[in-house]
Amino acid sequence: TPMKNAGEGGYRLAWRIEKWTYQGIEGYTNLIKNSSVDQHSLKSVNQALNKADNLVASGTNKSLLRFEDNPSGYDVDLGIKTSIGSSSYSEVYQFKTNTALLSKNSIADASEQLYTAPSIKRIIEFRLAEIDNILTIKNNENIKTELKFQLFDKGLKPSNNVIIDEFHLISNNGEKVKVVYQNDNIQFINL
């Protein structure tokens, strides 16, 4: 099949579809339809499925998952519903597979997609481009300022109390960190 001929990402996705792990989960069919054979979309779909696999492996009830909830106003790639049949979430994710260096704009754009999502917790996960790395990000004041703005400063005014709870950064060398606001500053915590 064409998907299996699309390199490792395509083969991995085809294998997952054949396993039927998420068949019947709300939004799953739309997620799979989003995966054309180009490498970027394959990576994005696999990123959402990787997170779903990790959540289920750590005890999340598969029936609480929802893929691709994107009415006008917000765009949830993967969510954990507060209860079966609920339209609100305990946790929502927006996934980005970067092809360029992480930038202030990419952080702001991804964050904006979750601002109005009906969720207790909002998480943005960036799979970094090969040319990017976590150490560079930790030392980039512009990036750190934008991360802090999305994690904390937005919550300073009651009129604008939207807060992204966590950013997850995944580098090509396998390094994974969670970026959160704690102790009056942003913190990079190994995952």
Side-chain angles (χ1 to χ4, degrees):
T1 65
M3 213 177 269
K4 285 186 177 172
N5 295 330
E8 184 184 336
Y11 183 79
R12 184 179 172 99
L13 184 56
W15 175 78
R16 284 178 142 150
I17 292 169
E18 288 169 4
K19 278 181 54 184
W20 290 64
T21 305
Y22 298 106
Q23 195 67 31
I25 298 298
E26 197 173 359
Y28 176 71
T29 305
N30 289 341
L31 176 73
I32 298 307
K33 284 179 183 172
N34 286 346
S35 66
S36 62
V37 181
D38 91 336
Q39 289 299 314
H40 187 75
S41 58
L42 282 173
K43 285 179 182 174
S44 297
V45 170
N46 274 318
Q47 194 175 352
L49 291 170
N50 286 344
K51 180 56 72 178
D53 289 347
N54 290 341
L55 291 169
V56 170
S58 64
T60 299
N61 179 341
K62 188 168 69 170
S63 320
L64 292 175
L65 297 179
R66 160 86 195 254
F67 294 100
E68 294 300 312
D69 183 9
N70 47 12
S72 62
Y74 63 86
D75 183 6
V76 170
D77 290 335
L78 175 63
I80 303 171
K81 294 181 180 186
T82 51
S83 61
I84 294 172
S86 172
S87 59
S88 64
Y89 298 96
S90 57
E91 230 170 76
V92 291
Y93 292 86
Q94 175 59 234
F95 300 108
K96 297 296 177 191
T97 300
N98 288 1
T99 54
L101 293 174
L102 185 65
S103 69
K104 182 178 175 184
N105 285 346
S106 60
I107 293 166
D109 291 347
S111 299
E112 200 172 289
Q113 292 182 291
L114 293 183
Y115 284 170
T116 60
S119 183
I120 297 165
K121 190 173 188 179
R122 296 170 181 84
I123 300 169
I124 313 284
E125 180 178 290
F126 286 103
R127 181 164 292 284
L128 301 176
E130 285 187 36
I131 55 171
D132 211 351
N133 68 69
I134 291 170
L135 183 60
T136 304
I137 292 166
K138 285 180 180 178
N139 293 314
N140 182 321
E141 289 306 317
N142 287 336
I143 298 291
K144 289 184 352 189
T145 298
E146 184 62 27
L147 289 168
K148 181 183 175 197
F149 177 69
Q150 297 297 340
L151 290 164
F152 176 73
D153 288 352
K154 283 213 161 279
L156 283 176
K157 294 181 244 161
S159 61
N160 195 12
N161 61 358
V162 175
I163 298 174
I164 299 299
D165 296 277
E166 298 177 4
F167 288 93
H168 295 178
L169 308 176
I170 303 170
S171 72
N172 279 317
N173 67 9
E175 187 180 6
K176 297 177 186 179
V177 297
K178 169 171 66 171
V179 185
V180 295
Y181 192 89
Q182 292 178 332
N183 306 323
D184 296 326
N185 212 340
I186 60 168
Q187 307 289 326
F188 293 83
I189 301 165
N190 289 336
L191 282 171

